[in-house]
Amino acid sequence: MNATLSRFNIVSIVLGFTFLYLPIVLLVIYSFNESRLVTVWAGFSTKWYVELFSNQGLLDAAWVTARVAFISASVATVLGTFAALALTRYTRFHGRTLFTGMIFAPLVMPEVITGLSLLLLFVAIGLDRGFMTVTLAHITFAMCFVAVVVQSRLLSFDRSLEEAAMDLGASPATTFFQVTLPVISPAVVSGWMLAFTLSLDDLVIASFTSGPGATTLPMKIYSQVRLGVTPEINAVCTILIAVVATGVIAASIVNKRREVQRRRDEQEAQRANNIAFGRNT
Amino acid sequence: MQRALQAIANRIVIAVPFLWLLVFFLAPFLIVLKISLSLPAIAMPPYQPVFDIADGVAGLWAGVREFTVDNYVWLTQDALYFNAYISSVVIAGISTLITLAIGYPVAYGMARASSALRPILLMLVILPFWTSFLIRVYAWIGILKPEGLLNTFLMWIGLIDEPLIILNTHTAIFIGIVYSYLPFMVLPLYSSLEKMDYSLIEAAKDLGCSETGAFWKVTFPLSLPGVVAGCLLVFIPAVGEFVIPDLLGGSRTLMIGKTLWNEFFANRDWPVSSAVAIVLLLLLVVPIMLFQRAQARAQEAER
Amino acid sequence: MKSLGSIRRSFAPWADPDAKPYISFRNVTKRFGDFTAVNDLSLDIYEREFFALLGASGCGKSTLLRMLAGFEQPTSGQILLDGQDLKGIPPHRRPVNMMFQSYALFPHMTVEKNIAFGLKQDGMPSAKIAERVKEMLALVKLEPFAKRKPHQLSGGQRQRVALARSVAKRPKVLLLDEPLGALDKKLREETQFELMDLQQELGLTFLVVTHDQEEAMTMADRIAIMDRGEVMQVATPAEIYEAPASRFVADFVGSVNLFEGKIANRDKDIATIEGDTINIRTRNAGDVEQGQKAWFAIRPEKIKVSSKRPANAEYNAAEGEIWDIAYLGDMTVYHVKLPDGRVIKTSSVNSARVIKDPLTWNDRAWISFASDAGVVLTS
């Protein structure tokens, strides 16, 4: 669809995005507030950030979270990519319906259910709750998101690329590692990023599956939020937002650049070709 | 030889994620079901019977005979649970409709924006999805509380004299859900509206439809798959939502996700919380299946 | 010896009963579920032949190609290449290479790497690969673009890379799936001749799939016309055009007028067809017998239009009315309506700039043709 924007369209876009962004902007602004009172602006200060770095509990939690997120995102990316391949490439195998269901259900499953059920599993098989169990839980729900992201790339994948590779003598394995994987790699990378942030953000599932030694940052934030709004929490949140936003924006700028460069190259090639062709005839 | 390796590789690609999900997604549900049929116990784990492989089949059977539906009977006897289920569905339903009402015009405006602007708008919708859910909900506490930013602002411009009580009410939950799930509504709506051929609307107008007529007779019906997908993506998780009612709804709000959490963490009653989870799951089975069917159909269409 | 149309060269192994076919499809059938893509098809192709499979989309021509490449397995039947049964050989072990319709250039590799890909799979030493790649780049005149990626090339250049990549391994057979489909008309015409030169130079067997009859006629030694999974006729372009085997082929390739009638008389080599508006006498009657239903197929350019009654108007002539005129520059197309309402297409070359006393709309006009200008068809 492409048309001119009416006033109504502009107003709804502006209001919609204000609604989406204003609360976050306010939170960021008030993290630089001098006063401990959240609603009274008493001047600019970075003292809450300084205080954060002397809060050992918070730093420990951040370290746990980072490790959980890194490991679970990496494993989930492998499993999710496998699952995406299974879904797009093998249209017939036993239990395909069940498999598809298990990929899509976690996307909408209420977190309390996922968390509770995983906890009960860990108790039943006698696995001590801690770093390991949180990581396993995160792998499980993150792999489904990775699968969906990679699968949508695979659906638009030109299969003749793989056929060409095999036609030129590449074995199926060579074809996968030298052609398929490099071509879908942007989707795999964004799947990893999604899995990483999902793990970074998760409170509910981590609360169920984590043990005493492995408090994650969202759990720490949650326990403090229950006590009320404080500038320290605003500061932690601001840092988290900054980290994620930087990552996402950087990734999209890189993509955009590549896209622009690509388009410029294409135009260049077309122009060069036109000139050459014009000379020929 | 190589063909054998290839066959093994194919197996692995399917089997590894499949087994993983069987162990970490399906098996846990069976365990939840089993524990929901058990009795609470003051022990670790706090329920009985506990199966032990060492007991063999006989032990298993003895355990199965100890199963009880007491927990489910309990759920029907205490009005708390029934009310929590009902109010979860009602709150999620109302929030979904509000999200649709806000999300549709935004998605529509985005779809009509110029092709240069569209990727930026899309990016702006996706970005909050990447930032922590907890943080986004937390941000509203500072805004909505009696001495919060909204009340300060409204009193400063003289619209009200006394602070509005919004935090710890249903209104705060609505705001929280709409805010948190808005991107989930906008994205599927946008993708179905964006695909639409604008000449269809021009054709409708050419054939004598007014602007609004063309919208209701052409645009809206064609965007229905997006509407359905968006509503399910909001409704299903919202029913079981815990963070929003806990942080914004206060202690008096009844929502089933919160009830489950309290039953588990505060009362340590694992069998009852399992029963709550099973009933919640049954409640969501129909919408989840609708969602999967919509996904499968969208996938077919893309092939 | 008299021959049909213009002869390309003396290369005609198919006419030699001792020649061994290089590629043989033997009773090949391919079904996808309920759909039969290829139906009990047999076809022989000879070494160094430029062979075209021509048909509308969905006629099974691409499936045939993909079965030879190994991407599809025949439901039944046999495919032989140079005497070897290809059954069970995976695509990457077959001595054929394919040029894909979409070109299927690897987007993450440079032109060089794309061309070298197949050679690397064979484990060729890298010095030799470099040499071969250079040779290929020279062949398709793309030396300055070796380090570019596919998206930095124009459509025509991409097509050349795809071509270079598929011939780099010196395959026994090169399969081309709509090789020129994505190019614009002007470039397409130029590339057709380049492909023919390349085939001559490399001495390879080319099997090309196309839906463009002009392309097939221009390039191929022989053409197989396909319809619904079956071969309708295999012949040289000239034979296909001048001596089509059936009404389907006659209608599929070029434009044709069909006169229906009954064989009224059959002499040794002359047959007489009686129709509603026109009686035809022809030598090109094959083995039709008296009383048989038949169609006389004649191309528009072989019909003469004139305002005067031809000398012998009893046979091979009819009077009608000029219904439509299309002036195309090099020729003029007349549609002549006969008394029974049928419209006959004719075309005449404009060999002079000015025509004296031209025919115009609603003029009475005579159509006429020579007795060997068309062929009699019975199916």
Side-chain angles (χ1 to χ4, degrees), chain C residues 10-171:
Chain C
S10 54
F11 175 76
W14 51 88
D16 175 3
D18 293 333
K20 257 199 168 163
Y22 197 53
I23 305 166
S24 281
F25 292 93
R26 290 192 187 161
N27 305 95
V28 172
T29 296
K30 175 68 187 178
R31 287 194 199 91
F32 296 103
D34 295 336
F35 177 70
T36 306
V38 173
N39 190 9
D40 194 26
L41 180 145
S42 295
L43 184 65
D44 286 338
I45 298 167
Y46 295 87
E47 196 168 3
R48 301 170 78 98
E49 194 176 351
F50 200 133
F51 195 95
L53 294 167
L54 177 63
S57 62
C59 71
K61 55 189 195 303
S62 288
T63 309
L64 207 58
L65 202 67
R66 292 172 59 80
M67 284 195 285
L68 187 53
F71 301 128
E72 310 285 355
Q73 304 307 320
T75 312
S76 67
Q78 219 180 9
I79 303 174
L80 303 174
L81 174 62
D82 201 6
Q84 186 195 8
D85 190 347
L86 291 178
K87 190 181 164 74
I89 302 181
H92 60 284
R93 298 271 164 74
R94 294 192 180 200
V96 300
N97 283 136
M98 180 146 156
M99 190 184 138
F100 288 81
Q101 184 174 11
S102 63
Y103 306 148
L105 297 178
F106 306 127
H108 56 297
M109 297 182 194
T110 59
V111 167
E112 238 174 16
K113 292 256 170 64
N114 261 286
I115 296 175
F117 188 90
L119 304 170
K120 268 190 201 148
Q121 306 307 322
D122 283 357
M124 196 187 257
S126 54
K128 229 174 147 203
I129 291 182
E131 194 184 310
R132 180 74 68 84
V133 168
K134 230 174 132 190
E135 186 189 323
M136 286 299 137
L137 285 169
L139 188 70
V140 294
K141 303 184 195 81
L142 282 177
E143 293 105 321
F145 301 99
K147 303 280 181 211
R148 296 248 186 128
K149 293 229 178 135
H151 69 261
Q152 294 167 309
L153 300 175
S154 70
Q157 290 164 339
R158 283 182 215 181
Q159 192 260 357
R160 286 150 182 275
V161 178
L163 188 62
R165 186 179 72 177
S166 55
V167 295
K169 291 182 75 172
R170 304 267 157 82

Side-chain angles (χ1 to χ4, degrees), chain B residues 72-90:
Chain B
Y72 292 96
V73 174
W74 167 248
L75 291 190
T76 57
Q77 279 166 350
D78 193 332
L80 171 89
Y81 299 104
F82 185 73
N83 291 340
Y85 282 119
I86 294 296
S87 105
S88 291
V89 171
V90 170

Side-chain angles (χ1 to χ4, degrees), chain C residues 57-325:
Chain C
S57 62
C59 71
K61 55 189 195 303
S62 288
T63 309
L64 207 58
L65 202 67
R66 292 172 59 80
M67 284 195 285
L68 187 53
F71 301 128
E72 310 285 355
Q73 304 307 320
T75 312
S76 67
Q78 219 180 9
I79 303 174
L80 303 174
L81 174 62
D82 201 6
Q84 186 195 8
D85 190 347
L86 291 178
K87 190 181 164 74
I89 302 181
H92 60 284
R93 298 271 164 74
R94 294 192 180 200
V96 300
N97 283 136
M98 180 146 156
M99 190 184 138
F100 288 81
Q101 184 174 11
S102 63
Y103 306 148
L105 297 178
F106 306 127
H108 56 297
M109 297 182 194
T110 59
V111 167
E112 238 174 16
K113 292 256 170 64
N114 261 286
I115 296 175
F117 188 90
L119 304 170
K120 268 190 201 148
Q121 306 307 322
D122 283 357
M124 196 187 257
S126 54
K128 229 174 147 203
I129 291 182
E131 194 184 310
R132 180 74 68 84
V133 168
K134 230 174 132 190
E135 186 189 323
M136 286 299 137
L137 285 169
L139 188 70
V140 294
K141 303 184 195 81
L142 282 177
E143 293 105 321
F145 301 99
K147 303 280 181 211
R148 296 248 186 128
K149 293 229 178 135
H151 69 261
Q152 294 167 309
L153 300 175
S154 70
Q157 290 164 339
R158 283 182 215 181
Q159 192 260 357
R160 286 150 182 275
V161 178
L163 188 62
R165 186 179 72 177
S166 55
V167 295
K169 291 182 75 172
R170 304 267 157 82
K172 286 185 172 174
V173 181
L174 181 64
L175 311 174
L176 303 103
D177 189 0
E178 303 274 1
L180 311 174
L183 304 180
D184 57 46
K185 195 172 184 307
K186 219 170 176 182
L187 201 51
R188 197 157 59 210
E189 281 166 8
E190 204 169 289
T191 316
Q192 283 172 3
F193 290 99
E194 285 179 8
L195 269 180
M196 289 161 66
D197 293 345
L198 189 81
Q199 193 246 349
Q200 280 285 295
E201 202 175 322
L202 298 173
L204 300 176
T205 308
F206 273 34
L207 177 53
V208 57
V209 154
T210 179
H211 69 276
D212 182 338
Q213 39 170 298
E214 208 181 303
E215 198 172 297
M217 302 280 278
T218 309
M219 299 193 295
D221 293 315
R222 282 193 304 156
I223 298 174
I225 307 281
M226 287 187 66
D227 182 41
R228 279 176 260 173
E230 291 176 29
V231 169
M232 308 308 286
Q233 186 174 7
V234 184
T236 64
E239 282 166 353
I240 295 264
Y241 189 76
E242 303 295 357
S246 63
R247 283 181 294 154
F248 175 84
V249 175
D251 192 43
F252 187 78
V253 178
S255 183
V256 75
N257 295 293
L258 290 165
F259 296 103
E260 191 180 331
K262 221 175 210 144
I263 305 292
N265 188 22
R266 170 85 215 217
D267 273 345
K268 214 161 82 195
D269 53 346
I270 294 179
T272 311
I273 307 172
E274 273 177 7
D276 290 343
T277 50
I278 189 166
N279 295 329
I280 296 163
R281 255 189 169 172
T282 177
R283 262 179 244 281
N284 303 333
D287 50 4
V288 291
E289 283 162 25
Q290 193 165 338
Q292 211 175 341
K293 192 176 175 185
W295 292 267
F296 187 72
I298 182 164
R299 303 288 182 188
E301 73 277 7
K302 298 192 173 67
I303 300 180
K304 207 180 138 200
V305 188
S306 152
S307 53
K308 295 187 192 77
R309 189 173 194 275
N312 184 2
E314 197 182 331
Y315 291 105
N316 302 357
E319 195 187 15
E321 180 188 351
I322 300 287
W323 192 248
D324 263 321
I325 304 175

Side-chain angles (χ1 to χ4, degrees), chain A residues 3 21 90 119 151 222 234, chain B residues 10 112 124 138 246 264 299:
Chain A
Y21 281 90
Y90 306 100
L119 164 73
Q151 184 208 20
Y222 173 71
N234 283 357
Chain B
N10 287 349
R112 293 185 62 153
L124 283 173
Y138 162 74
D246 187 60
F264 183 85
Q299 221 185 78

Side-chain angles (χ1 to χ4, degrees), chain A residues 22-23 30 43 45 48 65 76 78 83 86-87 104 114 172 202 220 241 246-247 249 269 271-272:
Chain A
L22 191 62
Y30 276 85
S45 161
W48 307 113
T65 308
V78 174
L87 283 180
F104 285 118
T114 313
D202 168 63
K220 196 89 191 167
I241 292 169
T246 313
I249 292 173
R271 200 174 312 133

Side-chain angles (χ1 to χ4, degrees), chain A residues 1 3 17 19-21 39 79 90 101 117-119 139-140 151 171-172 197 201 207 222 229-230 234 244, chain B residues 2 6 10 16 20 24 28 111-112 118 124 127 130 132 134 138 147 179 194 196 242 246 261 264 292 299:
Chain A
M1 216 205 271
F17 283 96
F19 177 61
L20 273 180
Y21 281 90
T39 48
L79 290 174
Y90 306 100
S117 64
L118 277 164
L119 164 73
I139 291 170
T140 306
Q151 184 208 20
S171 67
T197 43
D201 290 348
S207 299
Y222 173 71
V229 177
T230 63
N234 283 357
V244 172
Chain B
Q2 201 176 8
Q6 172 66 20
N10 287 349
V16 172
W20 185 284
F24 291 105
R112 293 185 62 153
R118 257 185 266 167
L124 283 173
L127 199 56
W130 292 80
S132 168
L134 177 62
Y138 162 74
E147 69 279 18
Y179 178 70
E194 193 251 340
M196 201 167 350
F242 163 73
D246 187 60
W261 178 287
F264 183 85
Q292 281 184 6
Q299 221 185 78

